[in-house]
Structures are given as structure tokens and as C-alpha cells.
Amino acid sequence: MTRWLSIVGIGEDGLDGITSVARALVDQAEVLVGGARHLAMIADDHPAERLPWAAPMAAGAAAVVARRGQRVCVLATGDPLWFGIGARLAGLVPHDERTILPAPSAFSLAAARMGWPLGDVETVTIHGRSLDLLRLHVAPGARLLAMTSDGETPA
């Protein structure tokens, strides 16, 4: 089986910031999968089927796997293997059938803006997960970067 699945990480600069290899995977895709924000970056005249990411995540992953054999490109935020869809799909699609091209993660970008060495912070995601996960990490003086679902989650 050839590499039918590509997972392209997109940074804060959008499609302008992806590599030429990543751009070729997007351009040659028969199926583009992603959230509304990612799919909105694709030109209207792109001939690929657009598949909005389904919820729950397991349903979205199943929809991707069901297209095995087509050229599928999943558009993801940042590094798809760091709390991202790449980690889920890596467990479902053999390594020799997929290509993953990451962009800087949201954690890397946040740490850079704050001037915190990434190795000195705890990273956690509560995007689609229980807020109770934070309890393990909150302590006086702790540096914590938490991925959230939206602007309301921190409150």
C-alpha cells in the first residue's frame, strides 16, 4: 500500500507557512479533512472532497480510515502528534501508509511568546477532555500551558 494519508500541520501563518512538500500533498489530495477553520483556507476551486472533522473524534478518525486508498490529506493545527489528530490516526493507519508533516505546536508558540523554555513547563490538553486533568499540574510556581477548547474554557 502506498502512502495514501497525509497529515499536514498548519501554523499560525496558515497555508503560506507550510513547506512545498506539504503544499503538494494539499494540492494533490482527493479528500481534504479538517475543522471549519482549516477547510476555509483552501481555495474554492480545489477539486477535492471536503470532509469536515466529525465529532466525536473516533467518528472523524473512522471517516478518514474509510477512505483508505484515496489521497487523503488531514489538515491539523501545529504538531498533529502532540495531543493532536496525528496521534489518533497513527494508531489506526500503519506507518508506511501515512506521512506526517508538523508545524510548530501551539505549545512551542506559547512558550516562545512567554519566554519560557518549553522543557521547564508542563503541557496538558483539556480540549475535549475533563477539566479535572489540570489538578495534577496546578501548584505554586508551576508553569503550565493548557490547550483548551475555546475562549470560555479558562474561565
Side-chain angles (χ1 to χ4, degrees), residues 8-11 14-15 32-43 50 53 74-78:
V8 173
I10 300 175
L15 292 179
L32 289 165
V33 183
R37 179 174 63 88
H38 295 115
L39 293 175
M41 295 177 190
I42 305 299
R50 292 167 195 248
W53 194 258
V74 175
L75 306 174
T77 299

Side-chain angles (χ1 to χ4, degrees), residues 33-90:
V33 183
R37 179 174 63 88
H38 295 115
L39 293 175
M41 295 177 190
I42 305 299
D44 290 338
D45 62 349
H46 193 297
E49 171 192 357
R50 292 167 195 248
L51 183 63
W53 194 258
M57 187 179 282
V64 169
V65 172
R67 285 164 171 77
R68 186 175 193 243
Q70 293 180 277
R71 288 187 312 272
V72 178
C73 182
V74 175
L75 306 174
T77 299
D79 184 344
L81 289 172
W82 198 344
F83 295 120
I85 190 56
R88 170 66 63 109
L89 291 172

